[in-house]
Amino acid sequence: MSYNKIKNRVEEHKEFVRKEHRKDGDIFFTALQGSQNYGLSDDKSDVDTKTLLIPKLKHALFEKPVTETLILDNNEHADVKDIREMFRMFEKQNTNFIEILFTPYVYLNRKYLDQYAWLKIHAEKIAFGNPHQTIMANLGHIREKIKKFDNSTVGTAEDVARLGYDPKQLHHMYR
């Protein structure tokens, strides 16, 4: 999939999330997550994103942070997280969040350009802020993928029958 097609899909995800969460706050940014960020995509690869919301004050004070996965009509995933949750994930060194600091496929709400620029400038420090925690988080991620390595699902049955494993799980472990 070309750069422009991926950017367009990220923009579509942003619009989808905006319609679903308009009342909850502003979109900070929407970023691609997954195989395209690692050069591991193929013609069958879908586009999955994370959208970070900046909550309205009343939500920040009185409600739990938004955290959910929306499924688009084409079965692509749009993860939605309150910015408070994002920083918790950074502290945990969660690879699925760290990667969004490095992707070139981003929709950025221009209102938050300075805040996003700060994140980009500090991305390496965030990514390697706690080396021990990074190793432990990655080991946990790999262990979860090993459990699913040779499981067959509707979408992976053909690959598992042909290869003996699910290549998507191998890609997750590689990342």
Side-chain angles (χ1 to χ4, degrees):
M1 190 180 298
S2 74
Y3 176 84
N4 287 333
K5 285 183 181 177
I6 295 170
K7 285 285 279 190
N8 288 340
R9 293 296 307 138
V10 170
E11 177 81 18
E12 289 172 23
H13 281 227
K14 181 265 305 177
E15 282 301 315
F16 185 78
V17 170
R18 188 182 61 75
K19 289 175 186 168
E20 294 291 318
H21 285 281
R22 183 174 289 145
K23 68 181 183 343
D24 297 319
D26 270 350
I27 289 177
F28 178 15
F29 68 91
T30 298
L32 177 79
Q33 65 175 343
S35 60
Q36 296 90 346
N37 287 331
Y38 301 93
L40 297 172
S41 60
D42 60 25
D43 293 339
K44 294 187 234 173
S45 296
D46 59 359
V47 171
D48 295 327
T49 59
K50 288 205 184 308
T51 296
L52 303 174
L53 294 178
I54 297 178
K56 292 181 179 177
L57 182 59
K58 68 179 182 177
H59 291 282
L61 293 175
F62 302 112
E63 297 178 17
K64 290 182 180 179
V66 171
T67 179
E68 75 169 316
T69 299
L70 302 174
I71 309 293
L72 284 75
D73 290 340
N74 62 2
N75 207 35
E76 291 179 345
H77 295 76
D79 290 339
V80 183
K81 294 281 185 195
D82 184 298
I83 195 168
R84 296 169 289 173
E85 286 297 308
M86 176 186 72
F87 285 107
R88 287 186 192 113
M89 295 298 109
F90 288 165
E91 286 173 351
K92 291 167 107 178
Q93 300 288 267
N94 184 318
T95 305
N96 293 325
F97 275 82
I98 299 293
E99 81 171 278
I100 67 174
L101 297 175
F102 297 94
T103 185
Y105 307 102
V106 177
Y107 159 80
L108 172 61
N109 185 335
R110 296 289 175 196
K111 276 200 298 194
Y112 304 111
L113 184 61
D114 290 343
Q115 292 78 10
Y116 183 76
W118 186 93
L119 283 175
K120 292 297 281 184
I121 289 167
H122 294 91
E124 290 287 331
K125 288 179 185 173
I126 294 168
F128 298 103
N130 184 339
H132 180 263
Q133 183 60 36
T134 300
I135 291 168
M136 298 310 291
N138 285 326
L139 282 174
H141 180 77
I142 290 169
R143 285 185 184 122
E144 287 302 310
K145 298 309 172 186
I146 287 171
K147 290 177 188 175
K148 299 176 181 178
F149 188 65
D150 57 359
N151 288 355
S152 182
T153 65
V154 173
T156 65
E158 189 177 305
D159 286 334
V160 173
R162 183 172 48 88
L163 301 169
Y165 65 92
D166 177 354
K168 189 169 185 174
Q169 300 307 320
L170 181 61
H171 286 169
H172 288 310
M173 287 186 271
Y174 175 77
R175 289 191 334 219

